[in-house]
Amino acid sequence: MLKRPAIIDNSDLIYDAASEDSGMGIEIHDTLLEGRDYVLLPQEVWNQLYLWYGGGPTLARKVISAGLSQTELAVEVYPLRLQLLEVPKGDRSTMRISKKETIGELHRRACEIFDLNLEQVCIWDYYGHRKHALMNDMDKTLDDANLQMDQDILVEIINHGNNNASDGCASYVQDNGTADKEATSISLEPSKSNLNVAGGMSNKGMSKTEVVQSQNQTSSIRELDNASGHTGVSTRGSSCGLTGLLNLGNTCFMNSAIQCLVHTPEFARYFREDYHQEINWQNPLGMVGELAMAFGDLLRKLWAPGRTSVAPRPFKAKLARFAPQFSGYNQHDSQELLAFLLDGLHEDLNRVKHKPYIKSRDADGRPDEEVADEYWANHIARNDSIIVDVCQGQYKSTLVCPVCNKVSVTFDPFMYLSLPLQSTTTCTMTVTVFTCDGSKLPSTLTVTVPKQGRCRDLIQALNGTCSLKQNEKLLLAEVRDHLIHRFLEDPLISLSTIKDDSHIVAYKIPKLTKNTKYIQLVHRSQEQVTSDAHKISGWRAFGTPLVSVVSSDGPVRKVYLERIVKRVLSPMAKIGTLMDTDVTDSSMSHAGEDSAETCTSSMNSNDPKSKVMEPLELPLQLLNEDNVCIDLSSGEEAVQLPSSSSVTVYLDWSQKLLKKFDTCHLENLPEVFKSGPVLKKARTEPLSLYSCLESFLREEPLVPEDMWFCPECKERRQASKKLDLWRLPEVLVIHLKRFSYSRSMKHKLETFVNFPIHDFELTNYVANKNSSQRQLYELYALTNHYGSMGSGHYTAHIKLIEENRWYNFDDSHISLINEEEVKSAAAYVLFYRRVKTEDVSVSNGVQTCASTKK
């Protein structure tokens, strides 16, 4: 039987500080993932577990209908969080409420929070600080009312001698659906409080509201910027292009990609001019121009001088409408968003209103230059936009049949290059090794293992470094909170299941025979706990559990167990401590010849310790089958061990006993993966961006899933494929493929890529040798990803070309950085722009300079 689990502890899921808001209840962290951080249980199962183990707190969630047909069921882990504003008092509050609740329930709870009567209030959808709609359909759900997470709700008190709130509210609504500005004016000032949002940053964008009635006011009142959604947090001075984006909750992936596009000079000029005439309103592949307009509006706000941080809610709403995969507040891949934006903006701005049908012709031995120009002309006949002008290039794709040697050449457009990383396939793990025979002090070892390896790989690496004897083996265990969380006995357990901050211990134990059990020695120390003004002594686990073995198929004498414990502790005994560790006497155990490997006393006549024969008694307690502790101090009696494969023995350390041992060896276990800041240009094997590009262009066979249909053989063949760059764009976007996926797992490559900031020379990589233009690029922006998949954080490094200075864009926080800080192992998507070299040409590989006479 396994050890009885401890009480249920959900404290890691909730914020430490309890909410003072009556409408919020217990708040859980915004970045939790099911399966990794928590599991969902039916109410009956939770009730039974709570009855058995206690603990908590209870985090109840509703099951709601979901999906387009509303027939699917889903657990609403994160109910709507609404920001309530009461006018004219100006009080603020935050509430959590299910999106399947009715507007009537919202009314009831808002009145309860602000201590109001239902008859004296009306409630408005106040999204973006504008009165969008009067919420007076009491049976309508909040989901049907299209309320969004963290949006504002206006609770307006109507008390002008009118007992009917609906009539009172109606008098405030004009024909255009907005409120009479003379009734109430609202101004915002920065809040002194911070709101921690997902993505790892602190969002200082919350505001408190000061309400000033217009009657008898002589001072001017600053009204809300209804359209922008700005807050009172300044980013930097009045320089254009230094405006941050607020993190709406795990939207750092979106913010980083947007900032890179916004700071692309060609896009900045285009969207600040009148681009509306190029919007393709009829394109069935587009978003009816709405995505382009939303992006253009956001770009103009970000380039406005002296603006404060922008909350990109309108843009995110459009994004969620046209790309539901990016809806909600989960973390996403910034490159996937970037690919969608570039394609969506292209379709919205495609100058071709009616795409002609064009059938591609085979090369048939024609020169590559002729075929490439034909393919490009056909592409432009159907796709012509600012995105194509700036970001699209062309590569040559060559397929060769392995059977008939048929060669097929096509010239295809590309929007970006996704380069593979020839990543290091190994990593280091740090493990502390303990012996159970008392022969050595514990030692810490760092070994190299495959990144996607298994526990058997870790054991094999440790075997060669820890001097393992022929009759010994290693037992791996994961230690949490000074207890063994789990034994890693299955050699096929994936190392990726071990968290970076875990503590892994390896115990040297004898190769087990039958009737053998593990003994877990758990250390406890006494501490004072204050309760109701009284001090109560209690025992609490500390240090690292030790493991030994006992071989028995019947009762075992207590003295035998005590000597096993003494043997394990003997390397840490101080001089003058008698450690009688002799367990050779078979009478101590009923196991006879099957006893564990024996070890006699660690003290002998030549040992200075042995001169002081101080008897040592250890206060040991055995946890029996019924989870009751049995005192092992009276040594001659025999005890029946629990039937489980692991036996827990507590050692209660008194202050006197602690003085006899160097217990420092039991504390401060290192983390299995030593974490730290992202290393910058300090990788042992830096990977060149050029080598990534060469790997991308290297000829290789197609994978079986992508076999090619040979027109000559009339069968599917695993052809070889070769890519060549043919035509490069003005802005070259390079995606470093850091995230890899397999059927059972995902992982991120932390490889440092040494990419050039200046003079990214691609002339020799272009297959079109007739081109006289030098292909030279310079980095101006990049996105970074820090952390692991699903729980990381995105930022952007951007160069303001007019200033020739680099800045770090971290959501709403913008800071000046040195050019040396641009390179790091976090680099994810790189943005290069062509260096204008009108006076430089390349002919037959020799650079020449053209001059003009004046």
Side-chain angles (χ1 to χ4, degrees):
M1 292 181 62
L2 297 176
K3 178 185 173 184
R4 177 184 175 86
I7 64 170
I8 300 169
D9 184 5
N10 284 340
S11 58
D12 288 344
L13 304 180
I14 64 177
Y15 285 106
D16 294 335
S19 172
E20 297 178 359
D21 236 322
S22 61
M24 290 292 288
I26 300 175
E27 275 288 274
I28 65 174
H29 291 287
D30 290 333
T31 57
L32 302 180
L33 292 178
E34 183 182 359
R36 185 194 71 180
D37 302 305
Y38 65 89
V39 293
L40 298 171
L41 299 175
Q43 181 72 48
E44 313 83 68
V45 177
W46 167 262
N47 291 342
Q48 192 62 48
L49 290 175
Y50 185 78
L51 181 63
W52 287 345
Y53 303 112
T58 301
L59 303 174
R61 292 295 183 268
K62 290 186 176 183
V63 176
I64 62 173
S65 57
L68 294 176
S69 61
Q70 295 291 301
T71 57
E72 302 173 12
L73 296 179
V75 177
E76 191 179 30
V77 177
Y78 291 99
L80 280 177
R81 182 168 51 206
L82 302 178
Q83 311 296 333
L84 305 183
L85 168 62
E86 181 200 13
V87 292
K89 291 183 180 179
D91 293 339
R92 270 192 175 273
S93 184
T94 305
M95 72 149 55
R96 284 278 192 185
I97 185 171
S98 172
K99 63 183 179 181
K100 292 301 180 181
E101 289 288 6
T102 63
I103 291 176
E105 177 63 15
L106 175 61
H107 274 251
R108 188 193 67 79
R109 291 184 55 183
C111 290
E112 184 179 277
I113 290 173
F114 294 121
D115 194 21
L116 301 171
N117 295 323
L118 287 171
E119 294 78 16
Q120 65 180 129
V121 301
C122 60
I123 291 183
W124 297 84
D125 177 350
Y126 202 49
Y127 183 85
H129 292 173
R130 293 188 65 184
K131 287 185 176 181
H132 287 274
L134 177 64
M135 303 178 67
N136 57 0
D137 185 349
M138 298 302 177
D139 295 327
K140 192 175 186 179
T141 68
L142 305 184
D143 194 18
D144 292 335
N146 199 27
L147 295 191
Q148 304 296 314
M149 181 72 75
D150 285 323
Q151 82 155 73
D152 291 285
I153 297 294
L154 190 66
V155 180
E156 192 168 16
I157 300 177
I158 303 300
N159 190 17
H160 295 290
N162 193 332
N163 294 327
N164 190 309
S166 298
D167 293 341
C169 290
S171 66
Y172 279 69
V173 184
Q174 299 178 350
D175 293 339
N176 60 1
T178 59
D180 186 349
K181 292 184 179 180
E182 294 183 358
T184 307
S185 298
I186 304 172
S187 63
L188 297 180
E189 64 182 30
S191 170
K192 297 180 181 179
S193 62
N194 294 343
L195 170 66
N196 289 326
V197 297
M201 300 308 301
S202 177
N203 177 354
K204 298 182 180 179
M206 290 192 69
S207 305
K208 65 181 182 180
T209 303
E210 181 180 294
V211 179
V212 185
Q213 293 185 348
S214 61
Q215 291 85 350
N216 303 322
Q217 292 292 332
T218 58
S219 61
S220 62
I221 299 174
R222 178 166 51 93
E223 297 188 3
L224 289 175
D225 182 356
N226 290 333
S228 67
H230 291 296
T231 66
V233 184
S234 297
T235 50
R236 274 189 90 80
S238 59
S239 298
C240 294
L242 289 176
T243 301
L245 287 167
L246 292 178
N247 192 320
L248 307 178
N250 269 336
T251 55
C252 55
F253 78 97
M254 180 182 76
N255 293 349
S256 61
I258 288 175
Q259 292 286 14
C260 289
L261 290 180
V262 162
H263 287 85
T264 298
E266 292 82 356
F267 294 156
R269 286 193 297 269
Y270 179 84
F271 283 99
R272 281 188 287 177
E273 296 172 355
D274 185 13
Y275 63 91
H276 293 82
Q277 59 187 354
E278 291 201 337
I279 292 179
N280 192 330
W281 307 100
Q282 288 82 34
N283 188 354
L285 300 178
M287 290 78 175
V288 205
E290 292 190 30
L291 183 66
M293 288 190 295
F295 179 79
D297 290 346
L298 184 56
L299 182 144
R300 293 186 179 197
K301 292 170 188 174
L302 292 176
W303 275 101
R307 303 295 292 214
T308 54
S309 296
V310 175
R313 294 184 189 277
F315 179 81
K316 188 180 185 304
K318 295 295 183 186
L319 185 67
R321 176 181 173 187
F322 294 110
Q325 66 269 30
F326 298 117
S327 62
Y329 294 89
N330 292 325
Q331 186 67 276
H332 295 280
D333 189 331
S334 69
Q335 187 273 332
E336 291 180 1
L337 172 71
L338 180 67
F340 169 79
L341 283 180
L342 289 174
D343 185 64
L345 290 173
H346 158 65
E347 296 295 354
D348 265 4
L349 300 169
N350 196 347
R351 304 177 185 111
V352 179
K353 301 302 187 281
H354 303 284
K355 295 185 178 184
Y357 172 74
I358 302 174
K359 185 177 181 180
S360 299
R361 295 168 53 200
D362 196 45
D364 287 333
R366 292 182 293 160
D368 283 347
E369 293 76 14
E370 178 184 339
V371 179
D373 289 344
E374 180 181 285
Y375 269 82
W376 187 253
N378 293 343
H379 175 66
I380 295 298
R382 294 173 53 84
N383 301 276
D384 183 17
S385 70
I386 181 65
I387 305 299
V388 175
D389 297 342
V390 174
C391 292
Q392 285 201 349
Q394 186 183 35
Y395 57 70
K396 174 185 176 183
S397 176
T398 305
L399 291 172
V400 180
C401 177
V403 177
C404 69
N405 292 323
K406 165 68 177 176
V407 178
S408 174
V409 177
T410 57
F411 292 84
D412 303 310
F414 67 84
M415 194 87 76
Y416 52 86
L417 300 178
S418 288
L419 304 188
L421 302 189
Q422 300 165 328
S423 65
T424 303
T425 59
T426 60
C427 65
T428 58
M429 298 183 71
T430 302
V431 178
T432 305
V433 180
F434 290 84
T435 64
C436 76
D437 61 2
S439 59
K440 292 182 180 179
L441 285 169
S443 59
T444 299
L445 301 176
T446 299
V447 294
T448 301
V449 295
K451 264 190 175 180
Q452 302 306 312
R454 302 183 183 274
C455 281
R456 63 187 177 194
D457 300 307
L458 177 57
I459 292 175
Q460 183 177 355
L462 291 170
N463 285 347
T465 56
C466 67
S467 304
L468 205 63
K469 298 176 184 177
Q470 187 174 3
N471 62 343
E472 288 180 324
K473 73 171 188 176
L474 290 177
L475 174 66
L476 296 177
E478 183 178 352
V479 175
R480 291 186 190 174
D481 299 326
H482 312 293
L483 300 173
I484 292 179
H485 174 66
R486 59 170 174 163
F487 286 113
L488 303 172
E489 293 185 275
D490 186 351
L492 298 180
I493 293 176
S494 174
L495 297 179
S496 62
T497 64
I498 300 174
K499 295 183 178 180
D500 292 358
D501 58 351
S502 298
H503 303 286
I504 301 299
V505 175
Y507 300 102
K508 282 186 182 181
I509 62 173
K511 291 182 178 178
L512 300 181
T513 59
K514 59 182 179 179
N515 302 325
T516 305
K517 300 178 184 294
Y518 298 134
I519 293 182
Q520 295 185 46
L521 180 63
V522 178
H523 311 279
R524 300 195 300 187
S525 61
Q526 198 168 28
E527 65 175 18
Q528 299 287 336
V529 180
T530 302
S531 177
D532 298 331
H534 297 288
K535 289 187 176 181
I536 303 174
S537 296
W539 293 97
R540 183 169 182 170
F542 79 97
T544 306
L546 300 179
V547 171
S548 187
V549 293
V550 58
S551 182
S552 173
D553 56 359
V556 178
R557 293 185 182 276
K558 295 180 180 180
V559 67
Y560 180 70
L561 295 175
E562 183 182 31
R563 290 188 179 180
I564 290 177
V565 173
K566 288 180 178 179
R567 180 180 62 181
V568 176
L569 293 174
S570 59
M572 291 171 277
K574 294 181 179 179
I575 295 177
T577 302
L578 176 61
M579 294 297 293
D580 181 10
T581 61
D582 187 358
V583 292
T584 58
D585 185 359
S586 62
S587 64
M588 296 288 184
S589 167
H590 288 220
E593 298 299 324
D594 290 335
S595 293
E597 179 185 347
T598 61
C599 177
T600 58
S601 171
S602 64
M603 301 179 62
N604 53 57
S605 59
N606 295 323
D607 192 333
K609 296 181 186 178
S610 62
K611 295 179 181 179
V612 181
M613 303 297 290
E614 179 182 342
L616 178 67
E617 291 187 3
L618 297 179
L620 301 173
Q621 297 190 67
L622 170 71
L623 195 66
N624 71 2
E625 201 92 53
D626 301 320
N627 286 330
V628 176
C629 289
I630 299 176
D631 187 8
L632 299 180
S633 58
S634 52
E636 293 305 319
E637 299 178 20
V639 293
Q640 182 67 45
L641 299 180
S643 59
S644 59
S645 60
S646 179
V647 178
T648 299
V649 174
Y650 293 115
L651 172 55
D652 295 333
W653 292 80
S654 63
Q655 291 300 318
K656 180 180 178 181
L657 186 61
L658 285 170
K659 295 178 181 179
K660 297 180 181 294
F661 292 86
D662 290 324
T663 56
C664 62
H665 300 289
L666 299 173
E667 302 181 33
N668 301 322
L669 283 181
E671 295 179 353
V672 62
F673 296 106
K674 294 180 179 178
S675 59
V678 178
L679 300 180
K680 300 185 178 181
K681 298 191 290 185
R683 309 292 291 198
T684 54
E685 297 179 2
L687 184 62
S688 166
L689 183 61
Y690 289 107
S691 63
C692 295
L693 179 59
E694 290 163 5
S695 177
F696 173 74
L697 300 175
R698 187 177 299 125
E699 182 177 353
E700 59 184 13
L702 296 174
V703 295
E705 294 81 7
D706 295 333
M707 288 204 301
W708 170 63
F709 182 82
C710 176
E712 293 290 332
C713 298
K714 305 298 183 183
E715 290 187 24
R716 301 188 71 83
R717 301 294 189 191
Q718 191 174 5
S720 62
K721 183 176 182 179
K722 174 73 170 71
L723 291 178
D724 291 291
L725 300 179
W726 189 265
R727 187 190 310 264
L728 293 180
E730 290 298 309
V731 169
L732 178 62
V733 181
I734 296 179
H735 163 225
L736 302 178
K737 297 175 70 173
R738 293 201 176 277
F739 300 130
S740 61
Y741 305 84
S742 65
R743 183 179 302 177
S744 58
M745 65 184 67
K746 311 172 189 177
H747 68 280
K748 178 190 174 187
L749 304 176
E750 300 284 357
T751 308
F752 176 80
V753 178
N754 188 10
F755 51 89
I757 297 177
H758 305 284
D759 299 329
F760 184 31
E761 178 66 79
L762 294 176
T763 304
N764 294 332
Y765 291 91
V766 177
N768 183 9
K769 299 307 178 185
N770 287 343
S771 173
S772 61
Q773 186 177 18
R774 186 181 178 191
Q775 308 294 336
L776 189 65
Y777 286 82
E778 183 179 71
L779 186 75
Y780 72 92
L782 70 153
T783 65
N784 302 296
H785 181 270
Y786 301 90
S788 58
M789 291 187 64
S791 59
H793 181 62
Y794 286 94
T795 67
H797 291 337
I798 293 172
K799 180 180 182 180
L800 288 192
I801 298 173
E802 296 80 3
E803 297 184 12
N804 195 30
R805 293 197 293 184
W806 284 90
Y807 291 88
N808 177 46
F809 285 70
D810 191 348
D811 290 330
S812 59
H813 304 272
I814 301 174
S815 57
L816 182 68
I817 59 174
N818 296 322
E819 190 173 275
E820 293 76 20
E821 299 178 73
V822 171
K823 292 186 180 183
S824 78
Y828 185 42
V829 181
L830 310 174
F831 290 76
Y832 285 93
R833 65 191 303 260
R834 191 194 302 277
V835 177
K836 303 300 182 183
T837 56
E838 291 85 356
D839 59 336
V840 178
S841 63
V842 177
S843 177
N844 296 324
V846 179
Q847 179 177 315
T848 62
C849 294
S851 62
T852 58
K853 292 182 180 180
K854 296 185 179 179

